[in-house]
Amino acid sequence: MNSLEAGNSEVRSLVQRSHEVNNESRAQRRLKAQSRGRNINLDEYREEVTEKENKTLINLCKTGKIDVNHLKRLSKAFTVRCHSEQFLNEDGCLHALVGLLSGSDWNKQILALYCLANLTGQDLKAQQIARSAGPYLITLVSGSNTQLMELACSVLVNLTQSKDEGALSVLINQEVVPSLIQLSHHSRPNLQELSYQTLYNLLTHTNLEGETLNLLCQEATASLNRRSPVHLLWVLFSLSSNQMMHSALYTDDLLTSLLQIATYEIFQKCDSRPLIKVLTPIVRILGNLCAGPESVDVAIFLVRQPDLYAILTALLSTNYTSLCQETVWWLANIVNNENVRVQEEFVEMDLMEKLENPAIAAIARLDPYAVSN
C-alpha cells in the first residue's frame, strides 16, 4: 500500500513538472510574439525625414495605405515644423490620421497618438486639430486602456498650451473638463498629473465660469493631500487668483493641508533641498487668500498655527530668490491686514518680534537699497 502511494506521488510530481515546463514555454513564446508585434526600433526615430520622404508619407496617410513603420517615420517628421505645416496644408491628411484613433489596430492607434502629440507640439492650426481630434481624444481619456489614456491626455496638454483661444473654446464646448476631472481620480499618478496639467492650462488661458468652475474648485480642494500631484497645487493657485472663488476655496482643511505639505518639503523629507515647484504655488495660494475677501479668517487661522514661524523663517532665508520674494509678499499681506483682530493675534503670538530680523534680511537681499542703515 505504501509503495502504491509512493508511485502515485511520483507520477503526480512528474505531471506537475511537465505542466510547469509547458506553461513556461508557452509564456516565453507568447512574450516573443508580442515583442515582435510591438517592437519599436529607435533607429527609425533617429534618422531625419527628408522632404521627399515626407511627401510620400503624406500621400500614404491621405490614401489610408499607411502602415505601422510609416507611422513611426511620420511621427519623426512632425518633430520638424515645416513638415508639420506641409501635412496640415494637405486636404484629408488630418482626417485620415485622426480616423486611425477609432480603428481596431491597437498599434496604429498608439502611433497615431504619438503623431498627434508631436504635431500639436508645433502649435500649428490648433483649432483645426481640436475640432477633428477632440472628440476622439476625450473618448480615449474616458476609456480603460491606460496607455491610450496617457497618450491622449499628452496630446490634450499640448493643445491646451496653444495660444489659439478658438482651440481652447472648442475643447471646452466638447466637455473636456468633466472628463479630465474624472481622469484625475485615476489610481495611476502619471494620469493624475497629466489631467491636472491640462486643467491648469485651461484655467490659465481661458475664462472658465459657472458650474464648470465650481465643480473644478470642489474637486480640487477635496483631492488635496500630502501626496497630491504637483499640478494640483498649480490648479489651486490659478483658482485662488480669482477672488470670486475664495469663499469656495477657503476651508481649514485646505490651509492645514498646504501647511503640512510645506512642512514636509522644508523639514521632514530626506533631501534637504525643498522643491521650489511645490512650495511656489503653496506660497502663492496662501498669499492670494490673505489678500482676498476671506483674508481676515485666513490670516487668523494661519497666525495661530504653531509651525507658521518656522515655515516663514525657512522660506525667508532660502537661496531661491523668487521663492523668497513670494514669501515676503505673503507675509506683507498678513502684516498689512487692517483688521484689528488680525493685528492683535499677530502681536499676541509674538510673531512681529520673531519675524522682524528674518524679514529685514530677506528684503535686504532682494533689494539692498530698500532697507536703510
Side-chain angles (χ1 to χ4, degrees):
M1 190 69 178
N2 291 335
S3 61
L4 180 61
E5 290 179 357
N8 290 337
S9 176
E10 290 179 4
V11 171
R12 285 195 296 269
S13 178
L14 287 172
V15 172
Q16 184 177 359
R17 284 200 298 270
S18 177
H19 283 313
E20 289 176 354
V21 170
N22 289 336
N23 289 335
E24 185 178 353
S25 177
R26 281 196 295 268
Q28 289 178 352
R29 289 197 299 270
R30 183 166 59 250
L31 181 60
K32 289 180 180 179
Q34 291 174 345
S35 298
R36 284 196 302 270
R38 299 174 185 175
N39 182 42
I40 294 178
N41 186 358
L42 294 178
D43 291 336
E44 295 172 339
Y45 293 95
R46 294 191 184 104
E47 296 177 4
E48 295 297 328
V49 176
T50 63
E51 185 176 351
K52 181 179 179 180
E53 184 184 1
N54 189 55
K55 290 180 180 179
T56 302
L57 293 171
I58 289 174
N59 289 330
L60 288 171
C61 185
K62 185 162 52 174
T63 57
K65 298 178 180 179
I66 194 165
D67 59 18
V68 170
N69 292 324
H70 289 127
L71 279 171
K72 296 174 185 177
R73 296 297 293 159
L74 187 62
S75 175
K76 174 64 178 177
F78 288 158
T79 60
V80 180
R81 187 176 179 85
C82 63
H83 293 339
S84 301
E85 288 177 338
Q86 189 176 1
F87 178 88
L88 290 172
N89 289 333
E90 287 285 338
D91 293 335
C93 282
L94 181 61
H95 177 75
L97 180 61
V98 171
L100 296 175
L101 299 181
S102 60
S104 57
D105 191 325
W106 187 71
N107 287 324
K108 285 188 176 180
Q109 278 185 302
I110 289 179
L111 289 168
L113 286 170
Y114 274 113
C115 290
L116 286 171
N118 289 339
L119 189 62
T120 51
Q122 300 294 341
D123 197 14
L124 295 168
K125 297 188 177 182
Q127 185 171 355
Q128 179 184 347
I129 299 173
R131 288 186 185 280
S132 299
Y136 297 95
L137 296 173
I138 294 170
T139 301
L140 291 175
V141 161
S142 305
S144 58
N145 188 313
T146 54
Q147 188 171 2
L148 294 178
M149 293 164 71
E150 182 177 356
L151 290 171
C153 201
S154 297
V155 177
L156 288 173
V157 168
N158 287 344
L159 273 177
T160 52
Q161 286 177 339
S162 170
K163 299 177 183 178
D164 189 342
E165 295 181 359
L168 303 179
S169 298
V170 167
L171 291 173
I172 292 172
N173 291 334
Q174 292 171 348
E175 300 293 331
V176 70
V177 175
S179 297
L180 291 171
I181 291 175
Q182 181 182 352
L183 182 63
S184 69
H185 298 302
H186 200 278
S187 58
R188 298 188 63 164
N190 59 329
L191 291 176
Q192 294 177 16
E193 189 69 57
L194 286 169
S195 64
Y196 285 123
Q197 186 176 355
T198 310
L199 288 168
Y200 174 70
N201 291 340
L202 287 170
L203 281 169
T204 306
H205 299 129
T206 64
N207 293 319
L208 291 178
E209 55 187 13
E211 290 299 323
T212 301
L213 190 61
N214 290 330
L215 175 62
L216 177 55
C217 184
Q218 292 173 8
E219 293 291 338
T221 52
S223 301
L224 182 65
N225 57 64
R226 203 181 73 181
R227 298 182 179 178
S228 295
V230 174
H231 273 92
L232 173 56
L233 295 171
W234 288 99
V235 167
L236 288 168
F237 157 64
S238 187
L239 289 168
S240 71
S241 300
N242 183 353
Q243 291 195 355
M244 295 179 63
M245 301 304 301
H246 281 201
S247 58
L249 274 176
Y250 163 59
T251 62
D252 290 353
D253 290 340
L254 175 75
L255 298 180
T256 300
S257 296
L258 292 173
L259 292 177
Q260 287 176 347
I261 297 171
T263 302
Y264 173 77
E265 282 297 325
I266 298 171
F267 302 111
Q268 295 177 357
K269 70 175 188 177
C270 296
D271 191 347
S272 60
R273 297 168 298 179
L275 281 177
I276 190 170
K277 65 180 180 180
V278 173
L279 291 174
T280 297
I282 291 176
V283 173
R284 289 183 180 182
I285 294 166
L286 295 172
N288 284 340
L289 292 176
C290 287
E294 305 293 330
S295 60
V296 174
D297 292 333
V298 173
I300 290 176
F301 179 89
L302 292 176
V303 167
R304 290 175 178 175
Q305 299 306 304
D307 295 331
L308 181 67
Y309 165 69
I311 292 172
L312 285 173
T313 302
L315 292 175
L316 289 170
S317 60
T318 182
N319 292 327
Y320 295 108
T321 304
S322 60
L323 187 57
C324 179
Q325 188 173 7
E326 301 276 3
T327 307
V328 170
W329 168 69
W330 170 29
L331 178 60
N333 286 344
I334 298 176
V335 173
N336 294 326
N337 194 302
E338 297 179 354
N339 188 274
V340 176
R341 291 170 54 207
V342 176
Q343 296 175 0
E344 289 178 348
E345 288 281 350
F346 201 82
V347 173
E348 185 176 336
M349 300 300 293
D350 203 22
L351 290 175
M352 185 69 74
E353 183 176 348
K354 290 180 179 178
L355 291 171
E356 182 179 3
N357 289 332
I360 291 175
I363 295 171
R365 287 202 318 275
L366 294 171
D367 185 359
Y369 300 101
V371 181
S372 59
N373 295 328

